[in-house]
Amino acid sequence: FNIMTECELPAQQKLITYLNNHPSVKIIGPNHADPSRIPTISFTHKSKSAIEIVNFVDQNSTIGIRFGHMYAYHLCKALNINLKAGVTRVSATHYNTTEEIDKLIAVFNKIL
């Protein structure tokens, strides 16, 4: 472990656990928290677009998340992900706290 991993892993674990337990969500990429995993988590929802999710979070919190193909256009196309909306992306990096993830989860509970 390094200091960055120690800061990132708890937030990553909390968010991935939440998303894995949500039946309408599919994590794109590794669906487990791990010290070697980049703590940027992308996901799709069965019935909500990434645009809709991000706009809702923007309107109902001060937490910034994004949507799009994240320069992985061909991968999104191969995975049949809507190219206009792409995926919802959350960066649970070293400057985020588990308390912020709790706030995000509370907002996600209203939209997901």
Side-chain angles (χ1 to χ4, degrees):
F1 269 21
N2 64 36
I3 191 73
M4 299 299 262
T5 302
E6 287 180 37
C7 293
E8 294 170 345
L9 194 55
Q12 180 190 154
Q13 288 172 324
K14 184 171 279 228
L15 181 60
I16 288 177
T17 298
Y18 170 79
L19 293 173
N20 275 329
N21 287 319
H22 200 291
S24 296
V25 169
K26 179 182 179 191
I27 295 175
I28 306 301
N31 65 350
H32 60 280
D34 185 274
S36 64
R37 188 193 197 288
I38 300 298
T40 301
I41 296 114
S42 297
F43 67 92
T44 58
H45 189 276
K46 286 183 181 178
S47 63
K48 309 271 184 189
S49 77
I51 296 169
E52 185 178 357
I53 294 167
V54 169
N55 285 339
F56 185 87
V57 172
D58 284 348
Q59 293 168 5
N60 292 279
S61 77
T62 59
I63 296 172
I65 65 173
R66 299 293 169 251
F67 68 87
H69 57 68
M70 310 306 158
Y71 303 102
Y73 177 89
H74 295 290
L75 176 61
C76 286
K77 188 173 180 180
L79 294 174
N80 291 319
I81 294 171
N82 177 299
L83 296 174
K84 181 179 177 190
V87 298
T88 303
R89 184 188 71 191
V90 178
S91 295
T93 57
H94 59 278
Y95 49 79
N96 296 115
T97 65
T98 54
E99 290 79 16
E100 289 172 321
I101 297 300
D102 287 335
K103 290 177 185 177
L104 178 61
I105 287 171
V107 178
F108 276 165
N109 280 333
K110 296 174 184 174
I111 182 78
L112 300 183

